[in-house]
Amino acid sequence: MSDRRSTSSDEIATDEPGFGSATQPDSETATDLSQLGVMGKAFTILEIIASARQPMPISEIVRVTGLTKPTAHRITSILSEMGFIERDAGKRGYIEGPRLVELSLNTLSSAAPRNLRHAILRSVSEMTRETCNFGILSGSEVIYLDRVEATWPLGLRFEAGSRVPAHCTALGKLLLAQLPPRERRDAIKTMPLTRYTSRTITDRSALSDAIDAIREADVGIDDGEFIDGVICISVPVRTPKGRVIGGIAVMAPQARVDLERAKSFEPDMRDAADRLGATFAKAT
């Protein structure tokens, strides 16, 4: 991909008012929805929340679906209790929950053999001799989907499914940088900026500036911001259609690899990211 920062159609409409692709259904759709049982209505709500580009308040769910407010409240409560949806960190509305994320990941995994993607990560780990992760952004956190440990383990256990904060990790800041402008501003404004080390950025203006720089460079950096003495570098994974679906990160102890040395891994990481992205050929 020659233009790694090409603007996708998802980004073009970012500063338009509204809630992403969630729109008011036509009368026929609303009629069909009214005839569905609880399961059908629940799937409709899941689809709306999953496709929206920002948290969906209950009032917007009611508007889009045409459901009554009590019905929408009842179904969202059930979905929340089951872990399919959850309140975002800023309490502005509902976002995908861990069970919905897991379901979507399992679905994506069927598009290409899991062992193929794992082999790509392993090739990066073998090349760098460090730990390699593949993760996605979920609200104010990064979820690790896969991981290959270095020959000499860090002693840090982040298994597939583990969550880490976005504001102080290389993958998190990189994926925040890929968000549409309005969504990126909202995320920075509302996410908790917990301090983990003396290097953690906890000022929202400074974090915004750091993420802008990452967007320009198209590479994420964590210089001991999440774990003292551990550095990390990340690059985005894009589908053949240009959609960012996650990122690859290499992490290492500073005692073994300094940040400048880690930056030399970037070309091989980008090649691996291209190959990983190609396995999601069916994704939009």
Short mmCIF file of all heavy atoms in Angstrom, two decimals, residues 211-259:
data_model
loop_
_atom_site.label_atom_id
_atom_site.label_comp_id
_atom_site.label_asym_id
_atom_site.label_seq_id
_atom_site.Cartn_x
_atom_site.Cartn_y
_atom_site.Cartn_z
N ILE A 211 -0.98 12.34 20.04
CA ILE A 211 -1.72 11.50 19.09
C ILE A 211 -1.71 12.12 17.70
O ILE A 211 -1.63 11.40 16.69
CB ILE A 211 -3.16 11.28 19.61
CG1 ILE A 211 -3.12 10.37 20.83
CG2 ILE A 211 -4.05 10.69 18.52
CD1 ILE A 211 -4.45 10.18 21.51
N ASP A 212 -1.75 13.44 17.61
CA ASP A 212 -1.63 14.11 16.31
C ASP A 212 -0.29 13.77 15.66
O ASP A 212 -0.22 13.52 14.44
CB ASP A 212 -1.76 15.63 16.46
CG ASP A 212 -3.19 16.07 16.71
OD1 ASP A 212 -4.11 15.27 16.47
OD2 ASP A 212 -3.39 17.22 17.15
N ALA A 213 0.77 13.77 16.45
CA ALA A 213 2.10 13.45 15.93
C ALA A 213 2.16 11.99 15.47
O ALA A 213 2.77 11.67 14.44
CB ALA A 213 3.17 13.72 17.00
N ILE A 214 1.50 11.11 16.21
CA ILE A 214 1.46 9.70 15.84
C ILE A 214 0.68 9.51 14.55
O ILE A 214 1.07 8.72 13.68
CB ILE A 214 0.84 8.87 16.99
CG1 ILE A 214 1.86 8.75 18.14
CG2 ILE A 214 0.41 7.48 16.51
CD1 ILE A 214 1.30 8.12 19.39
N ARG A 215 -0.39 10.25 14.39
CA ARG A 215 -1.18 10.16 13.15
C ARG A 215 -0.33 10.58 11.96
O ARG A 215 -0.39 9.98 10.89
CB ARG A 215 -2.43 11.02 13.24
CG ARG A 215 -3.28 10.95 11.98
CD ARG A 215 -4.62 11.66 12.16
NE ARG A 215 -5.37 11.64 10.92
CZ ARG A 215 -6.08 10.61 10.47
NH1 ARG A 215 -6.13 9.49 11.17
NH2 ARG A 215 -6.73 10.68 9.33
N GLU A 216 0.46 11.61 12.14
CA GLU A 216 1.31 12.09 11.05
C GLU A 216 2.39 11.08 10.71
O GLU A 216 2.66 10.82 9.53
CB GLU A 216 1.96 13.42 11.47
CG GLU A 216 2.82 14.06 10.40
CD GLU A 216 2.04 14.49 9.17
OE1 GLU A 216 0.83 14.79 9.31
OE2 GLU A 216 2.63 14.51 8.07
N ALA A 217 2.98 10.46 11.73
CA ALA A 217 4.06 9.49 11.49
C ALA A 217 3.52 8.12 11.13
O ALA A 217 4.23 7.30 10.55
CB ALA A 217 4.93 9.38 12.75
N ASP A 218 2.26 7.84 11.50
CA ASP A 218 1.62 6.55 11.26
C ASP A 218 2.36 5.43 11.99
O ASP A 218 2.41 4.29 11.52
CB ASP A 218 1.54 6.25 9.75
CG ASP A 218 0.41 5.27 9.42
OD1 ASP A 218 -0.64 5.33 10.07
OD2 ASP A 218 0.61 4.43 8.51
N VAL A 219 2.91 5.76 13.14
CA VAL A 219 3.57 4.76 13.99
C VAL A 219 3.36 5.16 15.44
O VAL A 219 3.49 6.33 15.80
CB VAL A 219 5.07 4.63 13.64
CG1 VAL A 219 5.78 5.96 13.80
CG2 VAL A 219 5.73 3.56 14.49
N GLY A 220 3.00 4.18 16.28
CA GLY A 220 2.76 4.46 17.69
C GLY A 220 3.99 4.17 18.53
O GLY A 220 4.75 3.24 18.25
N ILE A 221 4.17 4.98 19.59
CA ILE A 221 5.33 4.84 20.46
C ILE A 221 4.87 4.83 21.92
O ILE A 221 4.03 5.63 22.32
CB ILE A 221 6.32 6.02 20.26
CG1 ILE A 221 6.87 6.03 18.84
CG2 ILE A 221 7.44 5.95 21.28
CD1 ILE A 221 7.75 4.85 18.51
N ASP A 222 5.44 3.93 22.70
CA ASP A 222 5.26 3.93 24.15
C ASP A 222 6.66 3.88 24.75
O ASP A 222 7.34 2.85 24.69
CB ASP A 222 4.42 2.71 24.57
CG ASP A 222 4.48 2.43 26.07
OD1 ASP A 222 4.99 3.28 26.82
OD2 ASP A 222 4.02 1.35 26.49
N ASP A 223 7.08 5.00 25.31
CA ASP A 223 8.43 5.11 25.87
C ASP A 223 8.35 4.97 27.39
O ASP A 223 8.56 5.92 28.13
CB ASP A 223 9.04 6.46 25.48
CG ASP A 223 10.52 6.56 25.85
OD1 ASP A 223 11.09 5.53 26.24
OD2 ASP A 223 11.07 7.67 25.76
N GLY A 224 8.00 3.76 27.85
CA GLY A 224 7.88 3.52 29.29
C GLY A 224 6.69 4.21 29.92
O GLY A 224 6.70 4.50 31.12
N GLU A 225 5.63 4.45 29.14
CA GLU A 225 4.46 5.17 29.64
C GLU A 225 3.46 4.25 30.36
O GLU A 225 2.69 4.72 31.22
CB GLU A 225 3.75 5.88 28.49
CG GLU A 225 4.61 6.92 27.81
CD GLU A 225 4.07 7.30 26.43
OE1 GLU A 225 2.85 7.56 26.35
OE2 GLU A 225 4.85 7.33 25.47
N PHE A 226 3.47 2.97 30.04
CA PHE A 226 2.55 2.03 30.67
C PHE A 226 3.24 1.19 31.74
O PHE A 226 2.73 0.98 32.83
CB PHE A 226 1.92 1.13 29.61
CG PHE A 226 0.96 0.11 30.15
CD1 PHE A 226 0.06 0.42 31.16
CD2 PHE A 226 0.96 -1.18 29.65
CE1 PHE A 226 -0.82 -0.53 31.66
CE2 PHE A 226 0.08 -2.14 30.14
CZ PHE A 226 -0.81 -1.81 31.15
N ILE A 227 4.44 0.70 31.40
CA ILE A 227 5.22 -0.11 32.34
C ILE A 227 6.63 0.44 32.39
O ILE A 227 7.27 0.61 31.34
CB ILE A 227 5.25 -1.58 31.89
CG1 ILE A 227 3.82 -2.14 31.81
CG2 ILE A 227 6.09 -2.42 32.85
CD1 ILE A 227 3.74 -3.52 31.20
N ASP A 228 7.11 0.76 33.57
CA ASP A 228 8.47 1.28 33.71
C ASP A 228 9.47 0.32 33.09
O ASP A 228 9.44 -0.89 33.32
CB ASP A 228 8.80 1.46 35.20
CG ASP A 228 8.37 2.82 35.73
OD1 ASP A 228 8.56 3.81 35.01
OD2 ASP A 228 7.84 2.88 36.85
N GLY A 229 10.36 0.89 32.27
CA GLY A 229 11.43 0.09 31.69
C GLY A 229 11.04 -0.73 30.49
O GLY A 229 11.84 -1.53 30.01
N VAL A 230 9.82 -0.54 29.97
CA VAL A 230 9.37 -1.29 28.80
C VAL A 230 8.97 -0.31 27.70
O VAL A 230 8.19 0.61 27.93
CB VAL A 230 8.18 -2.21 29.13
CG1 VAL A 230 7.66 -2.89 27.87
CG2 VAL A 230 8.59 -3.25 30.17
N ILE A 231 9.53 -0.50 26.51
CA ILE A 231 9.19 0.36 25.37
C ILE A 231 8.38 -0.46 24.37
O ILE A 231 8.40 -1.69 24.39
CB ILE A 231 10.44 0.97 24.70
CG1 ILE A 231 11.40 -0.14 24.22
CG2 ILE A 231 11.15 1.91 25.66
CD1 ILE A 231 11.20 -0.54 22.79
N CYS A 232 7.68 0.24 23.49
CA CYS A 232 6.84 -0.45 22.50
C CYS A 232 6.70 0.42 21.26
O CYS A 232 6.68 1.66 21.35
CB CYS A 232 5.47 -0.73 23.11
SG CYS A 232 4.40 -1.80 22.12
N ILE A 233 6.62 -0.22 20.11
CA ILE A 233 6.39 0.46 18.84
C ILE A 233 5.28 -0.28 18.11
O ILE A 233 5.19 -1.51 18.19
CB ILE A 233 7.68 0.52 17.98
CG1 ILE A 233 7.44 1.26 16.67
CG2 ILE A 233 8.24 -0.87 17.75
CD1 ILE A 233 8.72 1.49 15.86
N SER A 234 4.42 0.44 17.40
CA SER A 234 3.29 -0.20 16.74
C SER A 234 3.02 0.42 15.37
O SER A 234 3.34 1.58 15.12
CB SER A 234 2.02 -0.09 17.59
OG SER A 234 1.63 1.26 17.75
N VAL A 235 2.43 -0.39 14.49
CA VAL A 235 2.01 0.07 13.16
C VAL A 235 0.59 -0.44 12.91
O VAL A 235 0.19 -1.47 13.44
CB VAL A 235 2.96 -0.44 12.04
CG1 VAL A 235 4.37 0.11 12.24
CG2 VAL A 235 2.97 -1.96 11.99
N PRO A 236 -0.18 0.28 12.09
CA PRO A 236 -1.57 -0.14 11.84
C PRO A 236 -1.67 -1.32 10.89
O PRO A 236 -0.81 -1.51 10.02
CB PRO A 236 -2.21 1.11 11.24
CG PRO A 236 -1.07 1.83 10.58
CD PRO A 236 0.13 1.56 11.44
N VAL A 237 -2.74 -2.09 11.06
CA VAL A 237 -3.08 -3.16 10.13
C VAL A 237 -4.30 -2.70 9.36
O VAL A 237 -5.34 -2.40 9.95
CB VAL A 237 -3.40 -4.47 10.87
CG1 VAL A 237 -3.92 -5.53 9.89
CG2 VAL A 237 -2.15 -4.99 11.59
N ARG A 238 -4.18 -2.63 8.04
CA ARG A 238 -5.26 -2.17 7.18
C ARG A 238 -5.72 -3.29 6.26
O ARG A 238 -4.91 -4.08 5.78
CB ARG A 238 -4.82 -0.96 6.34
CG ARG A 238 -4.54 0.30 7.15
CD ARG A 238 -4.14 1.46 6.23
NE ARG A 238 -4.13 2.73 6.94
CZ ARG A 238 -3.06 3.24 7.56
NH1 ARG A 238 -1.91 2.58 7.54
NH2 ARG A 238 -3.14 4.39 8.19
N THR A 239 -7.02 -3.32 6.01
CA THR A 239 -7.54 -4.26 5.03
C THR A 239 -7.14 -3.80 3.64
O THR A 239 -6.70 -2.67 3.45
CB THR A 239 -9.08 -4.33 5.11
OG1 THR A 239 -9.62 -3.09 4.61
CG2 THR A 239 -9.55 -4.56 6.53
N PRO A 240 -7.29 -4.67 2.62
CA PRO A 240 -6.99 -4.24 1.25
C PRO A 240 -7.80 -3.03 0.81
O PRO A 240 -7.39 -2.30 -0.09
CB PRO A 240 -7.35 -5.48 0.42
CG PRO A 240 -7.11 -6.63 1.34
CD PRO A 240 -7.57 -6.12 2.69
N LYS A 241 -8.94 -2.78 1.47
CA LYS A 241 -9.76 -1.61 1.13
C LYS A 241 -9.36 -0.38 1.93
O LYS A 241 -9.99 0.67 1.81
CB LYS A 241 -11.23 -1.94 1.36
CG LYS A 241 -11.76 -3.02 0.43
CD LYS A 241 -13.24 -3.29 0.66
CE LYS A 241 -13.75 -4.38 -0.27
NZ LYS A 241 -15.19 -4.66 -0.05
N GLY A 242 -8.34 -0.50 2.77
CA GLY A 242 -7.82 0.67 3.49
C GLY A 242 -8.37 0.90 4.87
O GLY A 242 -8.01 1.88 5.53
N ARG A 243 -9.23 0.03 5.35
CA ARG A 243 -9.80 0.21 6.68
C ARG A 243 -8.84 -0.28 7.75
O ARG A 243 -8.32 -1.39 7.66
CB ARG A 243 -11.12 -0.56 6.79
CG ARG A 243 -11.77 -0.45 8.17
CD ARG A 243 -12.99 -1.34 8.25
NE ARG A 243 -13.54 -1.34 9.58
CZ ARG A 243 -14.48 -2.17 10.00
NH1 ARG A 243 -14.97 -3.08 9.17
NH2 ARG A 243 -14.94 -2.11 11.23
N VAL A 244 -8.60 0.55 8.76
CA VAL A 244 -7.75 0.14 9.88
C VAL A 244 -8.57 -0.76 10.80
O VAL A 244 -9.61 -0.36 11.31
CB VAL A 244 -7.23 1.36 10.67
CG1 VAL A 244 -6.45 0.90 11.90
CG2 VAL A 244 -6.33 2.22 9.79
N ILE A 245 -8.09 -1.99 11.00
CA ILE A 245 -8.82 -2.92 11.85
C ILE A 245 -8.08 -3.24 13.14
O ILE A 245 -8.64 -3.89 14.02
CB ILE A 245 -9.10 -4.24 11.09
CG1 ILE A 245 -7.80 -4.84 10.56
CG2 ILE A 245 -10.09 -4.04 9.97
CD1 ILE A 245 -7.97 -6.22 9.98
N GLY A 246 -6.86 -2.79 13.25
CA GLY A 246 -6.08 -3.05 14.44
C GLY A 246 -4.63 -2.65 14.23
O GLY A 246 -4.34 -1.83 13.34
N GLY A 247 -3.75 -3.22 15.02
CA GLY A 247 -2.35 -2.87 14.87
C GLY A 247 -1.44 -3.96 15.41
O GLY A 247 -1.85 -4.81 16.21
N ILE A 248 -0.21 -3.95 14.92
CA ILE A 248 0.85 -4.85 15.39
C ILE A 248 1.79 -4.02 16.27
O ILE A 248 2.15 -2.90 15.93
CB ILE A 248 1.65 -5.45 14.22
CG1 ILE A 248 0.80 -6.45 13.45
CG2 ILE A 248 2.91 -6.14 14.74
CD1 ILE A 248 1.51 -7.02 12.24
N ALA A 249 2.16 -4.60 17.41
CA ALA A 249 3.09 -3.91 18.31
C ALA A 249 4.20 -4.85 18.73
O ALA A 249 3.97 -6.04 18.94
CB ALA A 249 2.35 -3.39 19.53
N VAL A 250 5.39 -4.29 18.85
CA VAL A 250 6.54 -5.03 19.39
C VAL A 250 6.95 -4.34 20.68
O VAL A 250 7.14 -3.12 20.72
CB VAL A 250 7.72 -5.04 18.40
CG1 VAL A 250 8.98 -5.58 19.07
CG2 VAL A 250 7.38 -5.89 17.18
N MET A 251 7.05 -5.12 21.77
CA MET A 251 7.44 -4.56 23.05
C MET A 251 8.70 -5.24 23.56
O MET A 251 8.95 -6.41 23.27
CB MET A 251 6.29 -4.69 24.07
CG MET A 251 5.85 -6.10 24.36
SD MET A 251 4.31 -6.17 25.35
CE MET A 251 4.75 -5.17 26.78
N ALA A 252 9.50 -4.46 24.31
CA ALA A 252 10.78 -4.99 24.79
C ALA A 252 11.24 -4.19 25.99
O ALA A 252 10.89 -3.01 26.14
CB ALA A 252 11.83 -4.92 23.68
N PRO A 253 12.06 -4.78 26.85
CA PRO A 253 12.64 -4.02 27.97
C PRO A 253 13.71 -3.06 27.46
O PRO A 253 14.50 -3.41 26.57
CB PRO A 253 13.25 -5.12 28.86
CG PRO A 253 13.52 -6.24 27.93
CD PRO A 253 12.44 -6.20 26.89
N GLN A 254 13.72 -1.85 28.01
CA GLN A 254 14.70 -0.85 27.59
C GLN A 254 16.13 -1.31 27.85
O GLN A 254 17.05 -0.85 27.17
CB GLN A 254 14.44 0.47 28.32
CG GLN A 254 13.19 1.19 27.84
CD GLN A 254 12.89 2.43 28.66
OE1 GLN A 254 12.94 2.39 29.88
NE2 GLN A 254 12.60 3.53 27.98
N ALA A 255 16.31 -2.19 28.80
CA ALA A 255 17.66 -2.68 29.09
C ALA A 255 18.23 -3.47 27.92
O ALA A 255 19.44 -3.59 27.77
CB ALA A 255 17.63 -3.56 30.34
N ARG A 256 17.35 -3.99 27.07
CA ARG A 256 17.80 -4.78 25.94
C ARG A 256 17.65 -4.04 24.61
O ARG A 256 18.48 -4.18 23.71
CB ARG A 256 16.99 -6.09 25.88
CG ARG A 256 17.52 -7.08 24.88
CD ARG A 256 17.00 -8.48 25.12
NE ARG A 256 15.55 -8.60 24.97
CZ ARG A 256 14.73 -9.03 25.93
NH1 ARG A 256 15.22 -9.35 27.11
NH2 ARG A 256 13.44 -9.13 25.70
N VAL A 257 16.58 -3.26 24.47
CA VAL A 257 16.31 -2.54 23.22
C VAL A 257 15.90 -1.11 23.53
O VAL A 257 14.89 -0.89 24.21
CB VAL A 257 15.17 -3.23 22.43
CG1 VAL A 257 14.86 -2.46 21.16
CG2 VAL A 257 15.53 -4.67 22.12
N ASP A 258 16.67 -0.14 23.04
CA ASP A 258 16.25 1.24 23.25
C ASP A 258 15.25 1.64 22.15
O ASP A 258 15.02 0.89 21.20
CB ASP A 258 17.43 2.21 23.31
CG ASP A 258 18.24 2.25 22.01
OD1 ASP A 258 17.71 1.90 20.94
OD2 ASP A 258 19.42 2.64 22.07
N LEU A 259 14.67 2.82 22.29
CA LEU A 259 13.61 3.23 21.38
C LEU A 259 14.11 3.37 19.94
O LEU A 259 13.40 3.01 18.99
CB LEU A 259 12.99 4.55 21.86
CG LEU A 259 11.63 4.91 21.27
CD1 LEU A 259 10.61 3.81 21.50
CD2 LEU A 259 11.13 6.22 21.89
#
